[in-house]
Amino acid sequence: MKSYYQTNYISSFGDISLVCDGKNLIGLWLKSQKHFDSELKAQAIYNDDLEIFAKTKAWLKSYFKGEKPAISKLSLAPIGSEFRQRVWQILCEIPYAKLMTYGDIAKIIAKEKGKAKMSAQAVGSAVGHNPISIIIPCHRVVGSNGNLTGYAGGIQTKIKLLEHEGVDMKGLFVPKHLSSL
């Protein structure tokens, strides 16, 4: 059986849980986040002395200071299907302060698979189940026409992250059914 380890990081955005396999970061969740892998965290042994945690905390510190650390500085190994892995790779390619739609990602994957089209809803599910939020920037994905659709960490956190990164928020809006979240 594989061993997992956890630690915590306190940020200006709230408490963050980190989980690794000893070498690779496999999870990063905000305390209030949906799709928090409580089973994985329950299996994890607390250990704050691992190199991957030190690197991740340094990355987060840099990010929250307003810098733009490279994702490639971290060894990431999110657990998910081949489809989800590909979606998460595309997320990592979205530059700071830029946005992409679920439909844009679906078009990329459809083209790669030689299909006429791909479900934006399937992409949305993969984005929503991103196990390494903030670092794998699922908050940079919006709905068509600039809809700020759901975010597992809460729509207000998504807005704060986008503002933190300097995204031009003009033209983006929260759908009425999400505005009370």
Side-chain angles (χ1 to χ4, degrees):
M1 186 172 148
K2 195 164 197 153
S3 295
Y4 298 109
Y5 306 93
Q6 69 171 312
T7 191
N8 299 303
Y9 180 81
I10 298 172
S11 79
S12 56
F13 282 71
D15 294 345
I16 296 173
S17 293
L18 307 172
V19 175
C20 77
D21 62 9
K23 294 182 180 179
N24 308 292
L25 187 68
I26 61 171
L28 184 153
W29 300 278
L30 294 160
K31 187 176 183 178
S32 62
Q33 188 168 333
K34 285 188 228 173
H35 310 302
F36 179 88
D37 197 332
S38 56
E39 182 179 322
L40 181 62
K41 190 177 178 211
Q43 295 174 21
I45 301 161
Y46 187 85
N47 183 341
D48 194 45
D49 296 327
L50 298 170
E51 182 179 353
I52 186 61
F53 286 153
K55 287 181 177 182
T56 302
K57 288 178 179 185
W59 191 99
L60 289 167
K61 183 178 180 182
S62 174
Y63 175 82
F64 288 120
K65 281 178 27 184
E67 297 170 1
K68 297 176 181 175
I71 296 170
S72 61
K73 291 187 179 232
L74 297 173
S75 179
L76 305 179
I79 299 169
S81 68
E82 182 180 329
F83 175 76
R84 286 184 176 182
Q85 294 283 341
R86 181 61 188 124
V87 170
W88 300 333
Q89 286 174 339
I90 293 169
L91 297 180
C92 290
E93 297 167 7
I94 305 171
Y96 283 95
K98 300 293 180 190
L99 302 173
M100 186 175 265
T101 68
Y102 299 97
D104 294 335
I105 296 169
K107 286 176 188 173
I108 291 168
I109 294 173
K111 184 176 179 181
E112 290 173 355
K113 293 186 175 282
K115 294 184 175 185
K117 60 193 246 183
M118 169 69 59
S119 166
Q121 288 82 9
V123 168
S125 178
V127 170
H129 285 85
N130 168 19
I132 306 178
S133 62
I134 301 173
I135 295 172
I136 297 178
C138 50
H139 56 278
R140 296 182 194 151
V141 181
V142 297
S144 61
N145 301 319
N147 293 336
L148 288 177
T149 58
Y151 180 67
I155 197 72
Q156 297 306 323
T157 301
K158 180 174 188 162
I159 292 167
K160 285 183 191 175
L161 288 167
L162 293 174
E163 290 173 341
H164 173 74
E165 292 185 6
V167 170
D168 181 1
M169 301 299 283
K170 293 181 197 117
L172 299 178
F173 63 94
V174 178
K176 288 181 184 178
H177 72 281
L178 295 174
S179 61
S180 63
L181 298 177

